[in-house]
Amino acid sequence: MDKLGLVALAKLCARLAKVRSFSFNASNGPGSATNWRGHGRGDVAVENFGAHTVFNEQAKFTDVDGHKVALNNCYRWTRCVDFVRLEHIQDEQSMLLFNFVPLTAHGFRHQNAHQSGADTYTADLILHTDEIELIWQIHGPQKNERLHYHYW
């Protein structure tokens, strides 16, 4: 890994530790059988454990019909030598989502797509001065979804 990549990883990990809030927009495209469309906003309780940064997220999601849903998620970000790993934690079990590798001083991409059944998840991450932007794409037989997160 070159110096640019190492600096990008260090900056991302430092920024992850400062996150306290987030918002996201969910949309779907042609062929999607889901109604996962709307926006959410919430708080992030952050815990740091050495190379690990844990996000405990609580949010309210409002779909396009005005229905409100409470959301709770736990994610673990881990600094590794050449990438930052993102895992979803549920019932004390972790599931690898992505290893983000630096492409530029501020841009990261998933190392490998995440498979969940017939669905394929991909993601890009953009590091801004005061914000992290995370964009997920989900494609499958019944899904064509985009989740656009902003963490600050």
Side-chain angles (χ1 to χ4, degrees):
M1 166 144 313
D2 63 7
K3 182 179 177 183
L4 181 71
L6 292 173
V7 170
L9 288 169
K11 286 182 178 179
L12 174 58
C13 291
R15 186 68 194 100
L16 286 167
K18 296 177 182 177
V19 168
R20 297 297 178 263
S21 302
F22 75 105
S23 67
F24 69 96
N25 289 307
S27 59
N28 55 18
S32 183
T34 70
N35 191 28
W36 190 239
R37 295 179 296 140
H39 63 277
R41 185 176 212 69
D43 298 315
V44 182
V46 177
E47 298 178 274
N48 293 294
F49 306 99
H52 306 289
T53 300
V54 177
F55 280 15
N56 288 294
E57 301 179 356
Q58 293 187 341
K60 296 285 186 197
F61 176 76
T62 305
D63 70 15
V64 293
D65 296 322
H67 300 107
K68 296 188 184 305
V69 179
L71 299 176
N72 295 297
N73 280 302
C74 182
Y75 294 104
R76 180 172 56 213
W77 300 84
T78 303
R79 167 71 192 263
C80 299
V81 174
D82 294 338
F83 55 85
V84 171
R85 172 168 287 154
L86 175 59
E87 297 167 288
H88 185 245
I89 309 294
Q90 189 172 17
D91 300 325
E92 304 288 322
Q93 300 293 317
S94 65
M95 177 177 52
L96 172 63
L97 295 173
F98 304 107
N99 291 331
F100 286 103
V101 294
L103 299 178
T104 68
H106 306 286
F108 298 78
R109 176 158 290 154
H110 64 276
Q111 191 173 42
N112 296 301
H114 170 76
Q115 288 296 137
S116 179
D119 300 328
T120 302
Y121 291 65
T122 58
D124 292 306
L125 186 149
I126 303 164
L127 180 61
H128 301 280
T129 303
D130 295 323
E131 173 186 352
I132 297 170
E133 192 174 357
L134 179 60
I135 304 164
W136 302 53
Q137 299 279 341
I138 307 163
H139 295 281
Q142 302 293 313
K143 293 183 181 176
N144 181 7
E145 300 173 357
R146 183 174 192 261
L147 305 174
H148 193 158
Y149 279 75
H150 297 271
Y151 289 96
W152 65 94

